[in-house]
């Protein structure tokens, strides 16, 4: 049995639904916040996820950071040492998808060479008529960066669990990989 | 001269901040650098070694992997509290083999040694062996 801990940053443009998603994670989808209140700083939520078919679990410390450009610099000071990235865009906004590259670069610079595993999330999948980003395009973008891609609707509570599980499993696999590498080390 | 494993001298690991059942903290003091304790995510990480009796410690040798910065504290109390800072050290990164660092502790007495890993070169770090060279009695 292993209990892993990961500091996971939720990042993406303003109003793509990062806070809505993180609240869904936190209250297991019982409440979708209908009024919009922009996150001005950083919010921290903890969620424990069990890895199926094992007795292992991952405690995710989710950091919901403001996506508004003018606030990013101040928020970055509170990101800390990150373990994972959950990059979110709005399926009805092409621009929010294009900006994912910018956010990736920002995180890469922040982490100074340490590889940060992550997943890509297209949110607001319930707004089918207004969709601007095709699944195949997003999928390809994610794949080329070694990330898994998921589509969710925080409003319809669609796929939120799958998202959490994917985050936890990504970190769990990284741990297993590192552990077997250490087992095969030669003595100093 | 090979130092006897700390566990054979009655030392115990009494506090640890990460746990993988397959790699328990006892592996740190069993004298075998093939067995290890591993951190399971985020920093800082720490462990506390408690000696059977107050022990004069001139130095410790730490075999580890991916540890970047280590702080060592000690106390002379029966309880694992009220530590005073002794030293800290930045470890070199190694690739494919263990880090082995000898750290001088200026020969003071201690009942507990507290090791705080404040940062690492990767998400996870491992500690394979902590040994204390025996002073000639």
């Amino acid at each position: 049995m292993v209990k892993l801990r990961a500091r996971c940053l939720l990042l993406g443009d303003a109003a793509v639904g990062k806070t809505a998603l993180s609240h869904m994670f936190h209250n297991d989808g019982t409440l979708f916040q209908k009024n919009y209140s922009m996150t001005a700083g950083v919010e921290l939520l903890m969620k424990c996820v069990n890895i199926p078919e094992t007795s292992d679990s991952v405690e995710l410390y989710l950091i919901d950071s403001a996506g508004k450009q003018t606030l990013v610099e101040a928020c970055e000071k509170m990101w800390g040492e990150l373990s994972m990235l959950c990059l979110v865009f709005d399926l009805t906004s092409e621009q929010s998808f294009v900006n994912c590259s910018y956010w990736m670069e920002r995180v890469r610079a922040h982490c100074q060479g340490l590889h940060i595993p992550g997943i890509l999330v297209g949110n607001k999948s319930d707004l089918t008529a207004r969709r601007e980003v095709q699944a195949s395009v997003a999928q390809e973008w994610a794949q080329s960066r070694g990330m898994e891609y998921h589509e969710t609707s925080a409003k319809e509570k669609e796929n939120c669990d799958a998202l959490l599980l994917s985050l936890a499993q990504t970190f769990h696999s990284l741990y297993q990989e590192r552990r077997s590498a250490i087992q095969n080390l030669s003595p100093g | 001269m090979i130092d006897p494993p700390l566990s054979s001298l009655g030392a115990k690991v009494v506090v640890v901040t990460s746990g993988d059942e397959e790699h328990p903290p006892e592996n740190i003091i069993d004298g075998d650098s093939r067995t290890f304790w591993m951190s399971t995510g985020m920093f800082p990480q720490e462990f506390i070694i408690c000696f059977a009796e107050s022990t004069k410690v001139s130095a410790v040798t730490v075999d580890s992997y991916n540890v970047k910065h280590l702080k060592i504290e000690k106390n002379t109390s029966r309880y694992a509290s009220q530590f005073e800072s002794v030293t800290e050290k930045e470890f070199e990164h190694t690739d494919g083999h263990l880090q082995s660092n000898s750290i001088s502790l200026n020969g003071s007495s201690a009942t507990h040694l507290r090791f705080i890993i404040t940062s690492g070169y990767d998400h996870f770090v491992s500690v394979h062996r902590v040994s204390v060279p025996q002073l000639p009695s």
Side-chain angles (χ1 to χ4, degrees):
Chain A
M1 191 193 84
V2 189
K3 185 162 225 156
L4 302 175
R5 291 191 194 97
R7 197 173 166 91
C8 177
L9 180 68
L10 278 165
L11 199 61
D13 278 10
V16 298
K18 298 181 292 299
T19 305
L21 276 173
S22 78
H23 283 186
M24 282 323 229
F25 296 157
H26 195 59
N27 59 34
D28 291 318
T30 49
L31 186 76
F32 173 71
Q33 193 120 2
K34 291 204 180 75
N35 51 339
Y36 177 67
S37 153
M38 188 176 77
T39 307
V42 165
E43 277 178 32
L44 177 68
L45 284 168
M46 202 278 276
K47 179 81 190 171
C48 191
V49 184
N50 295 317
I51 304 292
E53 288 157 41
T54 69
S55 54
D56 302 345
S57 56
V58 182
E59 266 177 18
L60 293 170
Y61 292 78
L62 295 156
I63 299 164
D64 176 19
S65 185
K68 185 84 181 160
Q69 203 49 250
T70 47
L71 301 170
V72 176
E73 208 150 306
C75 289
E76 192 181 332
K77 294 189 177 74
M78 288 177 277
W79 290 357
E81 285 182 63
L82 300 173
S83 322
M84 297 190 79
L85 173 66
C86 180
L87 194 51
V88 188
F89 70 95
D90 175 351
L91 286 164
T92 71
S93 156
E94 171 85 34
Q95 191 57 46
S96 74
F97 174 62
V98 170
N99 287 347
C100 285
S101 299
Y102 160 78
W103 292 116
M104 280 286 273
E105 206 39 61
R106 188 103 199 188
V107 169
R108 192 173 305 155
H110 178 83
C111 296
Q112 302 170 338
L114 182 64
H115 167 72
I116 304 293
I119 65 170
L120 178 69
V121 180
N123 191 33
K124 310 193 188 179
S125 63
D126 53 293
L127 300 174
T128 42
R130 283 166 51 193
R131 182 190 270 264
E132 287 183 6
V133 182
Q134 292 315 307
S136 57
V137 178
Q139 176 81 52
E140 197 176 314
W141 190 92
Q143 212 160 31
S144 69
R145 285 157 182 84
M147 300 163 92
E148 270 198 46
Y149 175 61
H150 293 272
E151 293 194 352
T152 55
S153 163
K155 179 170 172 281
E156 303 299 330
K157 300 161 195 157
E158 246 175 43
N159 244 350
C160 293
D161 285 349
L163 194 67
L164 271 181
L165 188 59
S166 171
L167 276 171
Q169 272 170 333
T170 302
F171 199 65
H172 187 250
S173 331
L174 182 74
Y175 176 75
Q176 289 185 314
E177 206 177 284
R178 294 298 196 266
R179 189 174 60 178
S180 58
I182 289 174
Q183 270 162 340
N184 294 324
L185 284 178
S186 51
Chain B
M1 191 187 82
I2 293 168
D3 304 314
L6 283 175
S7 55
S8 72
L9 304 172
K12 287 189 171 72
V13 180
V14 290
V15 168
V16 73
T17 48
S18 274
D20 180 338
E21 277 180 345
E22 289 176 45
H23 301 280
E26 292 75 43
N27 287 349
I28 296 171
I29 53 169
D30 67 359
D32 185 347
S33 65
R34 285 167 301 181
T35 64
F36 59 90
W37 162 81
M38 189 165 166
S39 77
T40 59
M42 311 216 297
F43 293 99
Q45 294 282 341
E46 70 171 75
F47 56 92
I48 296 178
I49 295 176
C50 173
F51 297 110
E53 54 193 20
S54 184
T55 305
K56 248 190 158 44
V57 188
S58 58
V60 289
T61 305
V62 179
D63 293 348
S64 56
Y65 194 59
N66 277 331
V67 172
K68 191 171 185 185
H69 194 88
L70 176 74
K71 281 188 191 171
I72 300 181
E73 298 180 355
K74 66 147 205 175
N75 77 10
T76 50
S77 150
R78 280 172 55 201
Y79 306 102
S81 63
Q82 292 180 320
F83 284 86
E84 53 175 290
S85 171
V86 185
T87 186
E88 48 191 288
K89 186 167 178 169
E90 186 100 4
F91 286 7
E92 298 268 331
H93 179 239
T94 58
D95 199 5
H97 65 92
L98 295 183
Q99 303 164 306
S100 189
N101 287 274
S102 194
I103 303 158
S104 168
L105 300 184
N106 42 19
S108 52
S109 294
T111 50
H112 293 88
L113 283 181
R114 181 185 192 187
F115 297 78
I116 306 167
I117 301 161
T118 55
S119 60
Y121 289 104
D122 196 7
H123 298 285
F124 310 106
V125 300
S126 55
V127 178
H128 297 245
R129 179 171 55 187
V130 170
S131 56
V132 176
Q134 293 303 295
L135 293 171
S137 45

